[in-house]
Every structure is written in C-alpha cells, then in structure tokens.
Amino acid sequence: MNADASAADTGAEARPEGTGTGRLVLLTTSHRVAPGLLSFPAWQILRAADRVLCADPDHPQLPYLREAGIEVETAAVPAARDLVDYCVPGDRTAVVLTSADGESALTDGLARLAGSGRETMPDLELLPGSYDLPGARLLDLVQVMDQIRATCPWSGIRTHRDLAKYGIEEAYELVEAIEEGDREALREELGDVLLQVVFHARIAQDDPDEPFSLDDVAGGIVEKLIHRHPHVFGEAEAATPEDVRAHWLRMKAEEKQRDSVTDGIPLAQPGLALAAKLSFRVRTAGLDVAPPAGEGIGYELLALAIRAETEGVDPETALRAAARAYRDAVLAAEGGAGA
C-alpha cells in the first residue's frame, strides 16, 4: 500500500461493523501539531479499534491516548502477514500509529499481499489524525536553526554584525530573481532571505541583556500590519490603493513620532534609492525643498532621481533595467566579434 494513495480519504468516517474482512488503519500525525489534538475520525477509530499498535515507545501521542483510556501496544509492529491474519478472520480492526519515519516495511508487505490477487485483505486505510496548518514548515526551520546554532562550530559563534553583509547580498539576489522573472530562483532566494531573519532572531535569543525570539519578531510585525490596515481590521474605509497608502502613512507617522522626515532613512543604501526616498519623504510631507545647487555628476544624478520619483518611477530599478540592456549589448558585441 502506498502511503500517498488516495485511500487516505476513506478514513474520514467510521465504517459500519461486520463487513466481514476487518479493517487495518495506518494513523498518521504531524509533529507540527500539539500532541493530543487529533481529528474526530481519529479518536473514533482509536476508541473502536480491537488493537492499537505503535513501534515507537516515545511517540508524543502515547500519553494522551493512555489518558483517554486507549491501550497501545508499543512493541515492534507485526509483519503485514500477521496483521492481515489478525483482521480478516474475526472481522477485527487494528490501528497502527505510525512513527516519524513511517512504516515502510509494513506498507510494502501489505502492497505485496494485496497485489498477489490471492489474498483476502482487510480494508486498508490511511487516516491523517492531524494536518499541518499553512506555515507549519516554519516550525521545522526554527527547529533546524536551533540545532545548527547549538552544534555548528561556525554558526554557533556568529553575531549580528558577522551576518550583516549576507543580508545585503541575499536581498540583492532576491531583487535579481524578481527582475529576471525566474520563478525557481525566486523561491530559493526568498528562502535565503528568510534564513537571515530566522538566524538573526536565533542569535538575539542568546543575548544576555536584551534577548528576543522569532516569536517576538513575528508578533511585532503582526501588530504593525494590523495597526496600519484599519480598513481591513478596523472600521476605516479604503476604496483605492491611494486610500490605503494614506492610511499607511498616517499610521506610520503616529507610530514613529519623528522629529524630521529624514529620520529612519538608511544612508547606507544605494545612492539613487537614497535620493528617491528623500524625495518621497519631502513630497509626501508637503515640504518645498529645492535640490541643492552644485557642480558635477552627483548633483545631476540627484536631480534625475528626484524627477523620476516625482513621476512615479523608481530610479534604482530603472537604472538596473538600463544596465541589463547595456550588458546584453556587450554580450551581443562580444558574440559578433567572436564570430
């Protein structure tokens, strides 16, 4: 029996007794869901089963099953032949609570018996006892990062400052994947950026004076998103993207209470992006500040960046697009010269 078979759906409801061939159920659970939180069909079949087996004596579900009065055999799971012989003659139900690694020997044996065409088989079912919620794999990432931080000689001694350059590199690689339209690269680069967030949060957890965790990071951004979207989570209205932007800017201003519109602008960002950000802040604040007069290409680029931002064009993105076109022209020229 293949663990991925569509037979998984057949466990959704308890079947009537007396079908004559018995029932063998493989019950799966997710380590990403708190133990004891099983589906109603799972509890039904566990209570009704004639025999419940689990090869892992440390399975996290066992204390909760025992608390519910369900007796579980924790010796090695019998072979497929033995379980078939148990279920079929007496029309009995056996439930196997699968381990984290699955029960490949049992499922392979059941597949061979069923495929022979010479065996009377019990009803074979794969019943999910718990399902992962969206985002559940993030728990795996946190767990893996914990293990790496505790045991890896390199990762275990990294600091925020050590990782700063990687955050910049990964952000640029993400932007490149977006601009190139490469979906596979986009997925990978998003993962690399996410790693930076989780790694920094794990380092912060070890701080002796002001520790915080990934939960604190996530909680902070959740609160910020809710506060800045009163049209989604409150009673405010926003019919257009411009309305949403106005809400966002107003809420952000209330939160930051800045002394200057330039507060919070990272001066280390690329020059065109920096100029555009300054221009945006000045424009949205309603200030009338003329660009400084000066000689040289820097002042000319500043004027171009302000003009681009005013016209709704991101100068950094526009320049990168032009630079890529220039690169393609270089490649074409090199190909022509080579030919």
Side-chain angles (χ1 to χ4, degrees):
M1 183 178 68
N2 188 327
D4 294 327
S6 60
D9 294 334
T10 62
E13 298 179 359
R15 292 193 177 185
E17 298 294 329
T19 56
T21 57
R23 186 179 182 188
L24 178 55
V25 179
L26 298 186
L27 181 62
T28 65
T29 59
S30 171
H31 67 279
R32 304 179 192 96
V33 177
L37 297 180
L38 299 176
S39 64
F40 181 65
W43 281 114
Q44 275 188 308
I45 192 62
L46 285 166
R47 292 184 182 281
D50 299 290
R51 194 177 180 188
V52 179
L53 310 99
C54 179
D56 180 6
D58 297 319
H59 197 293
Q61 298 289 350
L62 293 183
Y64 299 92
L65 300 189
R66 292 178 180 132
E67 186 178 345
I70 297 169
E71 183 178 345
V72 183
E73 302 174 31
T74 54
V77 173
R81 172 82 274 167
D82 296 332
L83 282 177
V84 169
D85 289 344
Y86 172 80
C87 293
V88 171
D91 189 16
R92 290 184 286 244
T93 296
V95 176
V96 176
L97 181 60
T98 62
S99 64
D101 297 327
E103 307 298 335
S104 57
L106 175 59
T107 56
D108 290 346
L110 291 171
R112 284 193 295 272
L113 291 174
S116 70
R118 299 187 298 272
E119 300 286 342
T120 300
M121 299 293 293
D123 292 337
L124 303 177
E125 303 173 27
L126 180 63
L127 176 60
S130 56
Y131 300 85
D132 289 341
L133 295 173
R137 294 307 301 270
L138 291 174
L139 299 177
D140 289 346
L141 177 57
V142 172
Q143 186 178 42
V144 168
M145 192 68 250
D146 280 342
Q147 186 172 353
I148 290 173
R149 179 69 173 172
T151 60
C152 175
W154 186 88
S155 301
I157 61 173
R158 290 308 102 193
T159 67
H160 295 300
R161 191 174 295 275
D162 292 336
L163 298 182
K165 63 179 181 180
Y166 301 111
I168 296 172
E169 290 173 6
E170 299 299 353
Y172 276 127
E173 290 177 9
L174 172 60
V175 171
E176 183 177 358
I178 293 171
E179 293 180 344
E180 294 290 341
D182 187 332
R183 299 290 295 176
E184 181 61 26
L186 174 60
R187 181 195 61 77
E188 181 178 352
E189 298 305 336
L190 283 169
D192 290 343
V193 171
L194 178 59
L195 170 60
Q196 297 303 309
V197 175
V198 175
F199 203 164
H200 278 285
R202 183 60 186 81
I203 292 172
Q205 215 171 306
D206 296 329
D207 189 281
D209 301 318
E210 298 180 281
F212 60 82
S213 68
L214 185 62
D215 284 334
D216 297 313
V217 174
I221 192 62
V222 166
E223 290 178 6
K224 181 183 291 185
L225 287 172
I226 292 174
H227 184 250
R228 293 188 186 178
H229 289 78
H231 55 290
V232 176
F233 301 101
E235 298 181 356
E237 296 184 0
T240 67
E242 290 72 23
D243 293 339
V244 174
R245 190 183 193 90
H247 282 311
W248 181 276
L249 293 175
R250 185 177 68 256
M251 295 298 182
K252 188 173 182 179
E254 291 175 1
E255 293 168 9
K256 301 298 183 181
Q257 294 294 309
R258 291 177 170 137
D259 296 324
S260 167
V261 297
T262 64
D263 288 349
I265 298 179
L267 299 180
Q269 64 184 301
L272 287 178
L274 173 60
K277 189 66 174 180
L278 287 166
S279 172
F280 171 77
R281 288 280 187 87
V282 168
R283 183 170 54 82
T284 54
L287 298 176
D288 184 13
V289 182
E295 297 285 334
I297 193 69
Y299 289 94
E300 294 176 21
L301 289 172
L302 174 63
L304 282 174
I306 293 175
R307 176 185 142 201
E309 190 281 326
T310 303
E311 296 176 358
V313 175
D314 176 21
E316 191 72 30
T317 302
L319 180 57
R320 278 199 306 272
R324 284 198 304 275
Y326 185 37
R327 176 205 58 189
D328 293 342
V330 172
L331 293 174
E334 289 175 336

